[in-house]
Amino acid sequence: MFLASKHCKNQSRTMISFSCSASPKLTSILALLLILVTMIQVNGQSPPGFISIDCGWENSSAYLNGALNIVYSSDVWFVEGGQNHQISPEFIEDAFNGQQKTLRSFPGGSRNCYTLPSTAGKKYLLRAMFTYGNYDRLNKTLDGSLFLFGLHIGVNFWEAVNLTNWDPSVTVFKEVLTVAPSNSVSFCLINFGSGIPFISSLELRPLQDTMYPFVNTSVSVSYFKRCRFGNITDPITRYPVDDYDRFWESCTFTSYPFINLNTNKNVGSLPGNNDFNVPSAILQQTSTLDTNYSRFSINVASAYNKDALSLQLLPIFHFTEINGSNPNRRFDIFSTGEVLFQGFSPSPLQVDSMYKSGQFLQKGDTFFTLDKTPGSSLPPLINAFEVYSLVQMENLTTDFNDVYNIKQIKTHYNLARTSWNGDPCWPREYSWEGLTCDYSKSNQNPRIVTLNLSTSGLGGRFAILLMNMMSLENFNLSNNKIDGPIPYYILQRVQAGLLDLRLEGNPVCSNNKDSYCIGKKKKKRRRNTTPILLIAVIVPVVLISLLVGMCILWKLYWKDKSGDNENYAMYEEETPLHIDIRRFTYTELKLITNNFHSIIGKGGFGIVYHGILENGDEVAVKVLMETSIAESTDFLPEVQTLSKVHHKNLVTLQGYCQNKKCLALVYDFMPRGNLQQLLRGGDVYCLNWEQRLHIALDAAQGLEYIHELCTPSIVHRDVKTPNILLNKNMVGIISDFGLSPAFNDAHTHISTVAAGTFGYLDPEYHASFKLTVKTDIYSYGIVLLEIITGQPPVLMDPQTIHLPNRVRQKIANGSIHDVVDKRLLDQYDAHSLQSGVDLAMNCVENAAINRPTMTEVVSRLKMCLPAVPEQLHLMVTGVPTISNEGNIQTGYSGTSEISILSGR
Ligand SMILES: *[C@@H]1O[C@H](CO)[C@@H](O)[C@H](O)[C@H]1NC(C)=O
Ligand SMILES: *[C@@H]1O[C@H](CO)[C@@H](O)[C@H](O)[C@H]1NC(C)=O
Ligand SMILES: *[C@@H]1O[C@H](CO)[C@@H](O)[C@H](O)[C@H]1NC(C)=O
Ligand SMILES: *[C@@H]1O[C@H](CO)[C@@H](O)[C@H](O)[C@H]1NC(C)=O
Ligand SMILES: *[C@@H]1O[C@H](CO)[C@@H](O)[C@H](O)[C@H]1NC(C)=O
Ligand SMILES: *[C@@H]1O[C@H](CO)[C@@H](O)[C@H](O)[C@H]1NC(C)=O
Ligand SMILES: *[C@@H]1O[C@H](CO)[C@@H](O)[C@H](O)[C@H]1NC(C)=O
Ligand SMILES: *[C@@H]1O[C@H](CO)[C@@H](O)[C@H](O)[C@H]1NC(C)=O
């Protein structure tokens, strides 16, 4: 479309303004071309890191979109609730692409969210597409009423989708460029009460971190317009021309005075400038004017962009001089009369991307003018431009750990509540029913403080992860069918007055007269009350029937605390050993753990508390039960050894406490929990293939260090996924090593008890009690199998089977691809899968002598990882397996006009 306008500025001779849109005729020609391309390309592979979802697609197997060479999968893995629909038959033929034929609508719930796996801190393009297609046969877009729903990115408002008065065949798309806040990106549809929200497709594309430098954790940007110029036939240029699958609309002009130029020469960017990575193919084409004219304007607000005035826009112009004779071309760029860039001259065959970083235009300007300067011999040209609107990511998501744990509890109790969707606490009006949050600290993430699950028909045992809900103060489980023991760390918090638990009306209370069982609302105790007396007397009594063995240890440990707890600090003993790390007193430990307030875990050796050092560093304080170490006299030599072990994949010991009453180790705190939680954290927290390989390598390197580089060697003895922690950068860190006698030089040690954990135990060690580093190799092999399959070491269903045997069975029965974690959605490299499985099976050989050493494991794992440049280090080459060629979609249809609008 092309309009002559009369708003001339005084110096100008002629001014042309236009708004961009594809011409219908070109569109249909192009659609034909596309279909041809589709028929030629039959096979292909999805690009690294692409997540492509065909919403409402019912078949759980993915299919290849041949035109795009991208594999699309169903949305069942990414969303709960909603209904699947097909668009009305009359629109199916002409759908913009295969993904627009089905959709998922959300008649229930005011907010419904998709959760997509991501890498925390990485930049992404997220695109949602909407084709109403009269799926409900109610003519909702044309019945005269408002048809409007909202979109959230994470917990922040992104945009509204307004389909009022639109042709039902029209496809609307919305794109946002955003930084993933954690290992998932959530995207929500909001019901405004003006029509049922729905979605047809959802695509997540990783960008390079250097791109769109103004996008950061607090600023996202939403697509407003993205155009390319020249003589272009495709209405939309996307992948594979653009590696990042951005949609570049064709803004081609065929009539005078516009002239389209092109070149075959490669157009690059300045070395080191990766701000936009505009494809060379796009920069090779340009539009300019006949030399009789001096200026043109671009109006990016179409009739559908009426609300542009309320937006803050950021334009980016891409220019390159492709006239080979290196002419004199210079122009100014204005935004509604105000100069944005003055006297700009494009560089030959090199892109200049002109934008004002972080400076959004306050007035919602949509009218840009390019005007030749008086000294210039040629008029302005343009190759491409992008315009984005600001999306402020001002609101904070709920505390990462609370989100993780509440989702686990939801899974544990199989809770299907419509509002339990998206972020638990934010935005407040969509917070989950039955819980309340603490928003009082305005610059901190909200925390969950009360949880009411009374009369919800819950059965079974306590959700173990409740113990990690550190900020939970009130928990009401009354009138359910909860049975089985109450975990002692929960009781401990109840007795300490930190948690108000209500359990009346549950089988677990049938013989229990404790306050939490009789429904009398207990007065909340002050937090600084020392709970020691209560714990020493009441807790053991309660636990006798439940945890007999533990009770004895407990009493031993706390036995004579009641009288002299103020004097603990005086029991510090002198040690003849020289230990370089900090020695804590009991009083200091009490202080840094806020009186042992927050339990973050329970290992084989004791309870782990969260603590904060004086300098603000977070630590994990492991309080050892005296009896958990065979001889407590071994403790200091052990600490001395551990304090000397430093490796990036081994948890760092910060300090210790040792006196008559206190035996504790202080480690760096690992905010991302452990590998077991990540691997089995439900469908939403899925590690990708390459992240998995990296964590496997991290763990192997940590073990290699203690096996090969420590003298004497240290055998971990309890290698398992819960002992592989993740730091904030998702680097695997081995913990719980070294709490075992160090080795003699012969690499053998006779031990009288079989250490280790069920499922990870080396059968040879189990039989002989002969402990060598090969014992760890066996356990490591199990870990590697868990990483690959996502399954626990011992499977219970349909019958108990050890993971290595299950893997052997599957390989024997068919393809190795049946072994791999289904949540990877076939996004993995087949070659590295084969090597990974071979290596794991080699590690779990029955005879220790046949297992590789850790050094060999490390070098074989390194070969599984593709050698990629640093910026791409978390991407994987996906090799999709298409199980049903019949499901391949042809993409574009041949005869009709494609209507695609980035409408607002
Ligand atoms: C929708 O529109 C079509 C054609 O305009 C009409 O035949 C049909 O009755 C309408 N359906 C409803 C439910 O209004
Ligand atoms: C952040 O939350 C406040 C209060 O709920 C709301 O008014 C505001 O619109 C939110 N901001 C965004 C970008 O969603
Ligand atoms: C939605 O679109 C309709 C028709 O163009 C318009 O009348 C209405 O004001 C729009 N509503 C909003 C909230 O943008
Ligand atoms: C545009 O390109 C097509 C082929 O892609 C060509 O046939 C046509 O002549 C070109 N038009 C102009 C004005 O250069
Ligand atoms: C361009 O300008 C020249 C000289 O001023 C004139 O001769 C020519 O006709 C003009 N061309 C058009 C298409 O207006
Ligand atoms: C290319 O540059 C030369 C030299 O300035 C000029 O004469 C010619 O008109 C230019 N071509 C176009 C299409 O602008
Ligand atoms: C994000 O970028 C904006 C400008 O685009 C800047 O003002 C802001 O300080 C940045 N925020 C962070 C957290 O880097
Ligand atoms: C789903 O696809 C598989 C293979 O791709 C096919 O065997 C199966 O019949 C399909 N199921 C449905 C419900 O269409």
Side-chain angles (χ1 to χ4, degrees), residues 453-459 476-483 502-508:
L453 295 175
S454 63
T455 328
S456 300
L458 310 182
N476 187 348
L477 264 175
S478 57
N479 303 316
N480 284 299
K481 302 190 196 71
I482 308 284
D483 206 348
R502 291 188 56 195
L503 271 175
E504 70 270 17
N506 282 288
V508 68

Side-chain angles (χ1 to χ4, degrees), residues 602-727:
K602 186 181 159 296
F605 300 103
I607 306 168
V608 189
Y609 298 88
H610 181 255
I612 300 174
L613 294 184
E614 299 81 349
N615 64 3
D617 285 355
E618 288 183 281
V619 287
V621 179
K622 180 172 292 186
V623 177
L624 306 170
M625 282 179 263
E626 244 170 316
T627 40
S628 70
I629 302 189
E631 288 284 312
S632 70
T633 50
D634 280 347
F635 181 72
L636 283 180
E638 200 75 62
V639 169
Q640 191 183 31
T641 312
L642 287 183
S643 68
K644 298 211 170 90
V645 174
H646 295 289
H647 186 268
K648 67 181 167 55
N649 301 119
L650 297 173
V651 70
T652 305
L653 188 60
Q654 290 275 356
Y656 68 103
C657 170
Q658 197 254 351
N659 55 50
K660 278 207 183 93
K661 296 291 160 271
C662 163
L663 214 48
L665 296 170
V666 179
Y667 294 101
D668 282 350
F669 176 67
M670 296 292 144
R672 300 215 174 236
N674 68 50
L675 181 59
Q676 185 186 50
Q677 292 166 342
L678 275 173
L679 285 174
R680 291 204 269 296
D683 300 331
V684 291
Y685 289 105
C686 181
L687 290 167
N688 70 32
W689 179 246
E690 202 162 296
Q691 283 173 317
R692 291 179 196 225
L693 288 181
H694 274 285
I695 294 168
L697 178 61
D698 292 337
Q701 285 170 336
L703 291 171
E704 181 191 20
Y705 182 87
I706 58 172
H707 286 179
E708 313 287 344
L709 296 168
C710 290
T711 330
S713 293
I714 298 172
V715 175
H716 189 297
R717 299 215 294 183
D718 202 9
V719 176
K720 55 182 176 180
T721 47
N723 280 342
I724 298 170
L725 309 180
L726 285 313
N727 77 6

Side-chain angles (χ1 to χ4, degrees), residues 277-571:
N277 294 338
V278 181
S280 182
I282 287 178
L283 298 169
Q284 282 170 339
Q285 304 229 26
T286 185
S287 289
T288 182
L289 294 169
D290 181 275
T291 47
N292 282 12
Y293 295 83
S294 64
R295 58 159 53 192
F296 63 88
S297 290
I298 300 167
N299 184 3
V300 294
S302 69
Y304 306 104
N305 289 339
K306 277 183 198 138
D307 60 346
L309 280 176
S310 62
L311 297 170
Q312 299 181 44
L313 298 179
L314 180 68
I316 306 152
F317 302 92
H318 304 289
F319 301 110
T320 188
E321 181 59 76
I322 61 174
N323 182 331
S325 38
N326 203 10
N328 169 13
R329 191 195 308 273
R330 199 168 282 277
F331 51 93
D332 299 328
I333 302 165
F334 297 90
S335 156
T336 318
E338 281 187 28
V339 69
L340 286 177
F341 305 101
Q342 207 156 15
F344 169 75
S345 178
S347 318
L349 299 181
Q350 180 179 293
V351 64
D352 292 305
S353 296
M354 305 298 291
Y355 72 103
K356 300 217 144 152
S357 190
Q359 285 188 32
F360 290 82
L361 303 174
Q362 297 300 320
K363 285 177 293 185
D365 291 337
T366 56
F367 199 74
F368 305 104
T369 305
L370 281 67
D371 193 1
K372 159 176 147 170
T373 59
S376 172
S377 43
L378 290 178
L381 59 64
I382 186 161
N383 307 67
F385 74 83
E386 301 171 67
V387 182
Y388 293 95
S389 63
L390 172 66
V391 175
Q392 242 147 5
M393 305 294 277
E394 57 192 354
N395 292 326
L396 294 172
T397 53
T398 305
D399 178 83
F400 177 80
N401 283 309
D402 282 2
V403 174
Y404 175 78
N405 292 314
I406 195 83
K407 286 187 174 170
Q408 293 294 303
I409 288 162
K410 180 183 174 193
T411 312
H412 179 94
Y413 289 124
N414 203 7
L415 286 163
R417 297 196 169 177
T418 37
S419 73
W420 282 43
N421 202 313
D423 191 86
C425 298
W426 202 269
R428 287 193 197 202
E429 59 267 44
Y430 302 110
S431 65
W432 293 7
E433 175 204 334
L435 56 80
T436 60
C437 305
D438 176 8
Y439 305 99
S440 60
K441 300 183 191 77
S442 60
N443 52 355
Q444 282 178 27
N445 307 66
R447 305 286 312 244
I448 298 170
V449 287
T450 76
L451 182 53
N452 183 354
L453 295 175
S454 63
T455 328
S456 300
L458 310 182
R461 305 165 73 93
F462 266 85
I464 237 63
L465 279 147
L466 274 167
M467 72 181 187
N468 288 340
M469 302 274 298
M470 240 78 76
S471 55
L472 197 62
E473 291 171 357
N474 285 279
F475 185 36
N476 187 348
L477 264 175
S478 57
N479 303 316
N480 284 299
K481 302 190 196 71
I482 308 284
D483 206 348
I486 305 167
Y488 84 103
Y489 25 75
I490 290 179
L491 280 178
Q492 193 187 1
R493 294 195 61 204
V494 171
Q495 302 296 0
L498 301 173
L499 178 66
D500 189 353
L501 178 68
R502 291 188 56 195
L503 271 175
E504 70 270 17
N506 282 288
V508 68
C509 279
S510 54
N511 283 316
N512 192 325
K513 291 280 167 289
D514 282 298
S515 58
Y516 49 82
C517 272
I518 51 182
K520 203 175 76 203
K521 202 144 171 45
K522 205 175 52 149
K523 255 211 327 261
K524 210 174 153 215
R525 291 151 54 86
R526 285 211 318 277
R527 279 188 182 202
N528 57 4
T529 316
T530 314
I532 284 169
L533 189 71
L534 273 169
I535 292 171
V537 179
I538 297 171
V539 173
V541 171
V542 173
L543 295 182
I544 277 170
S545 56
L546 315 168
L547 301 154
V548 180
M550 192 159 287
C551 185
I552 294 159
L553 307 179
W554 191 252
K555 277 184 168 167
L556 277 172
Y557 179 39
W558 292 99
K559 156 171 91 190
D560 48 16
K561 277 207 168 167
S562 34
D564 57 3
N565 68 43
E566 285 314 308
N567 295 330
Y568 289 158
M570 295 164 67
Y571 279 93

Side-chain angles (χ1 to χ4, degrees), residues 146-148 160-166 303-304 306-307 904:
L146 198 60
F147 190 7
L148 184 80
V161 179
N162 187 354
L163 296 172
T164 317
N165 293 340
W166 282 44
Y304 306 104
K306 277 183 198 138
D307 60 346
R904 281 163 191 273

